[in-house]
Amino acid sequence: MTTAATPSQPFPVRFYSPTTPVPDSCGRTLGSILAWPDTALEYSHDYIQNLFPLPERSPINPSAPIIDEQTFTTFRSSSELQNQLRNSLRRMLQFYGFELTCSPRGTNAVAEDSAYQVRPGPNFRSASRNWVMRFNHNHLRITRIIRCCRVLGLETEAAAFFDALLRIVEEKRGVISQKTVMFWRRAAERPLYLAPEDEDNRGRGKEWLYRFEEGNETQGKA
């Protein structure tokens, strides 16, 4: 079933629609952003919130789109929207010097039944110079990307990205700060209802995400 955007849907759903995409406030579509050269991805700072929205409102850009419950439900029920998001992830991975590979589990496997891996690509040596360092704005972007992908249903891909990052951290020991790694780990491993920046690990965060995970936990015990 094709996911067509309607005016009543949240912006992330309309922006990611594979059939009737809408541009952002600057007139940029998803396709046009993904076609940018790496220099544009590096030096433009107001597109990443459109590609990878979060449930939490940005203190730096309060008008940036967020993931509400409707966005969450729509993405998680649409393989087409998730494929679009996966394309964004693949482009950003390429920007960072990685590539996303897929190994189907069986001859008739579809995307959600596949095993994803993230590995250094042929451009890793040059691309990593932009972000493999002590402090860099791309570290915050990476936290955002991991959390967004997990929330919107690309848990396997997010975990593969985090695993690849840990391998780089180990190889470049001491180059990337432990605080940065802590935020990446929180984005990758915390319950979805807790944001990486939440210092209290005992809260309930976004109530609708808390209900979702409580429901999954209940089903797992059944």
Side-chain angles (χ1 to χ4, degrees):
M1 180 178 179
T2 301
T3 306
T6 63
S8 63
Q9 290 176 316
F11 173 78
V13 175
R14 292 180 287 127
F15 182 72
Y16 266 102
S17 171
T19 55
T20 54
V22 300
D24 65 12
S25 59
C26 297
R28 305 169 300 195
T29 63
L30 173 64
S32 67
I33 294 173
L34 297 187
W36 283 357
D38 286 354
T39 50
L41 294 176
E42 173 64 23
Y43 293 111
S44 299
H45 300 287
D46 61 351
Y47 70 90
I48 198 72
Q49 297 94 342
N50 293 328
L51 260 57
F52 301 98
L54 296 177
E56 300 76 33
R57 195 165 295 281
S58 169
I60 300 174
N61 184 5
S63 63
I66 62 170
I67 300 173
D68 59 11
E69 189 170 6
Q70 184 180 354
T71 302
F72 171 79
T73 303
T74 304
F75 264 82
R76 281 187 165 255
S77 62
S78 171
S79 60
E80 290 183 327
L81 289 175
Q82 290 184 354
N83 282 336
Q84 293 281 86
L85 180 61
R86 191 176 291 109
N87 288 337
S88 292
L89 173 63
R90 186 174 281 110
R91 178 64 184 97
M92 293 306 295
L93 288 173
Q94 182 186 44
F95 171 65
Y96 293 128
F98 294 106
E99 57 186 9
L100 181 68
T101 61
C102 174
S103 301
R105 299 189 182 109
T107 56
N108 297 319
V110 293
E112 55 266 31
D113 296 324
S114 301
Y116 286 93
Q117 292 182 320
V118 173
R119 298 174 177 172
N123 67 325
F124 182 79
R125 185 172 182 179
S126 59
S128 63
R129 296 192 186 111
N130 287 330
W131 64 275
V132 179
M133 59 187 70
R134 190 72 176 171
F135 302 107
N136 185 266
H137 70 101
N138 280 295
H139 297 173
L140 295 175
R141 289 178 171 181
I142 289 171
T143 303
R144 169 181 284 273
I145 291 168
I146 293 172
R147 175 154 174 74
C148 173
C149 287
R150 282 189 69 209
V151 171
L152 294 183
L154 302 189
E155 293 100 331
T156 303
E157 295 88 330
F161 187 17
F162 179 58
D163 287 344
L165 292 168
L166 289 183
R167 290 193 292 271
I168 301 304
V169 169
E170 181 63 24
E171 292 171 8
K172 308 288 186 179
R173 189 181 296 272
V175 175
I176 297 174
S177 74
Q178 287 304 304
K179 185 173 183 179
T180 291
V181 177
M182 177 192 73
F183 280 108
W184 291 348
R185 186 177 299 281
R186 287 179 176 183
E189 297 180 351
R190 263 187 167 183
L192 291 180
Y193 55 84
L194 291 177
E197 62 270 19
D198 288 346
E199 294 302 329
D200 189 351
N201 203 33
R202 297 167 298 177
R204 289 174 60 149
K206 290 290 181 182
E207 186 64 29
W208 50 271
L209 280 173
Y210 180 83
R211 293 196 305 269
F212 168 78
E213 293 213 314
E214 283 291 290
N216 279 352
E217 185 174 340
T218 300
Q219 289 179 7
K221 293 178 180 178

